[in-house]
Amino acid sequence: PAAPPPQLAGTYHPYVTITDEDGNTTTVQLPAVTLVPDHTPPVVTLTRPRAGIRKTIRAWRHVRGTTIDAGISRPDGPFAILPQTELLILQKRGPFFYVYSSSRKRWSVGERTVAATVSSATSVAFAYNEGRRGWRTMFVHGLTRGRLVVLASATDELVNETSWTVLTRVTLTRRR
């Protein structure tokens, strides 16, 4: 299932002791098991709206994508824990980028560049798990025409984290 924490990494030599009804015991050596630590951060991808509506405000009211934790052997396994995905949804309004907060359902003024806005941002839009790998945001209120930038960061159960990565830059030109 999930990869072991780094402190448990190593080679182990498990064995089983079998006891019969008369109390006789036998020890059976099992094959060696090597646990490899997971230092791989999750990979986040965006599911873009189809080409015909990609530049509409309506298409970006829910941002969707996938996050895969490549550091575990079976990311679809029954015991896999999905990474936590956070998004920064930025929109250029006049000379400034604004940052969307999903908890407050409002936009806050940021800085003049994407990099400066990312480094000073205090609110994020959380992505909610939807199925085994997929995620989506809650409804994004107050989108307007103009440049939209979506960035993502994800953290897995072992606290391997991706840095903020730009998933898309798109100019919204119409409502529908």
Side-chain angles (χ1 to χ4, degrees), residues 5 17 22 33 65 82 84 86 120 147:
T17 302
D22 296 329
V33 175
L82 295 174
Q84 173 65 50
E86 294 178 338
S120 68
R147 189 175 351 157

Side-chain angles (χ1 to χ4, degrees), residues 13-19 25-30:
H13 303 279
Y15 61 89
V16 172
T17 302
I18 301 170
T19 306
T25 62
T26 300
T27 301
V28 178
Q29 186 71 41
L30 299 174

Side-chain angles (χ1 to χ4, degrees), residues 10-125:
T11 301
Y12 295 89
H13 303 279
Y15 61 89
V16 172
T17 302
I18 301 170
T19 306
D20 66 15
E21 294 173 351
D22 296 329
N24 301 315
T25 62
T26 300
T27 301
V28 178
Q29 186 71 41
L30 299 174
V33 175
T34 301
L35 300 180
V36 180
D38 172 13
H39 298 293
T40 307
V43 176
V44 183
T45 57
L46 179 75
T47 304
R48 287 186 175 83
R50 68 181 190 273
I53 64 167
R54 188 168 298 149
K55 295 188 175 200
T56 65
I57 292 170
R58 182 179 178 189
W60 294 96
R61 290 197 174 135
H62 289 281
V63 180
R64 291 178 170 82
T66 58
T67 303
I68 298 171
D69 188 0
I72 62 175
S73 59
R74 293 188 57 212
D76 285 338
F79 302 108
I81 296 174
L82 295 174
Q84 173 65 50
T85 306
E86 294 178 338
L87 300 175
L88 281 175
I89 301 173
L90 310 179
Q91 191 165 38
K92 181 86 171 196
R93 297 179 180 176
F96 296 100
F97 280 93
Y98 280 68
V99 182
Y100 186 72
S101 167
S102 59
S103 61
R104 295 185 352 215
K105 298 178 183 160
R106 55 187 297 217
W107 296 85
S108 301
V109 68
E111 305 292 334
R112 291 180 181 268
T113 66
V114 170
T117 304
V118 168
S119 66
S120 68
T122 57
S123 61
V124 296

